Amino acid sequence: MRFSTRLLLCSVIPAGLFVAALTVSLWGLFRTQHEFDSYLSTEQATANGLNEMYAQGLQMGQALRNIVLDPQNRKAYENFASASEAYAKAQRDTAAMAGGTVLASSLEQLATLREVQSAKQARVIALVKTDPAAAAQALTSDETPAWRNVRARLLEEIAKGR
């Protein structure tokens, strides 16, 4: 083999290996970017939704207690309605993002628990107008256990990192 051929091979082979390594690196970079974008748009978004649902659930509970403590407090009713709407929006958005994932069936169960809690909250609000003592009793014996069920499911899903 001639010297010029060896010199050419010593230049071309490393350059080819460099181009191959650069191609593999760029492919890995684009793949990582795609997976990260996917993570942000699904897993992180659903985790944020679950945390929002938890926060709004706490807000609803506090507003409901304020209603029972002072049935004439209009702001408590407004806060309850606002938190309830925000919870429902977070629940819809999270369910839409989680469609087709493992979390979807769990969110359906959570929606069922929330419907039960919502009915008990409506009962407490109805009782406040006619019998405040019965409303306080319904709050502690009916609504609070219903919230605990919703809360437990939310915290379970949050702990799973979904």
Side-chain angles (χ1 to χ4, degrees):
M1 188 179 301
R2 292 184 336 181
F3 178 73
S4 61
T5 306
R6 281 192 240 169
L7 186 60
L8 184 63
L9 285 176
C10 287
S11 299
V12 170
I13 290 174
L17 290 174
F18 175 75
V19 168
L22 183 62
T23 303
V24 169
S25 296
L26 287 174
W27 176 79
L29 179 66
F30 288 124
R31 182 168 166 83
T32 301
Q33 179 67 42
H34 174 72
E35 288 177 11
F36 185 68
D37 289 344
S38 175
Y39 169 78
L40 286 179
S41 66
T42 56
E43 294 176 32
Q44 186 61 43
T46 56
N48 289 345
L50 290 168
N51 282 316
E52 179 67 13
M53 290 163 60
Y54 180 66
Q56 295 305 325
L58 291 172
Q59 290 287 47
M60 282 188 291
Q62 184 60 48
L64 189 61
R65 280 152 186 75
N66 289 344
I67 290 169
V68 170
L69 289 173
D70 183 8
Q72 304 308 315
N73 183 355
R74 287 287 123 210
K75 187 66 175 167
Y77 290 94
E78 292 170 15
N79 289 344
F80 180 80
S82 174
S84 184
E85 289 172 21
Y87 183 98
K89 181 183 181 318
Q91 187 175 21
R92 282 190 310 273
D93 293 347
T94 304
M97 286 181 274
T101 66
V102 178
L103 182 61
S105 65
S106 183
L107 285 175
E108 289 174 12
Q109 295 169 356
L110 185 59
T112 303
L113 292 173
R114 172 66 187 122
E115 288 173 14
V116 169
Q117 182 199 18
S118 182
K120 293 180 186 237
Q121 288 172 332
R123 181 172 177 265
V124 169
I125 291 174
L127 282 172
V128 161
K129 296 172 184 169
T130 59
D131 188 358
Q137 178 61 32
L139 178 70
T140 58
S141 65
D142 292 337
E143 193 279 336
T144 299
W147 163 244
R148 285 185 186 131
N149 292 336
V150 172
R151 179 181 168 270
R153 176 63 104 191
L154 280 169
L155 291 177
E156 179 183 320
E157 293 303 326
I158 290 169
K160 288 179 184 175
R162 297 185 190 171

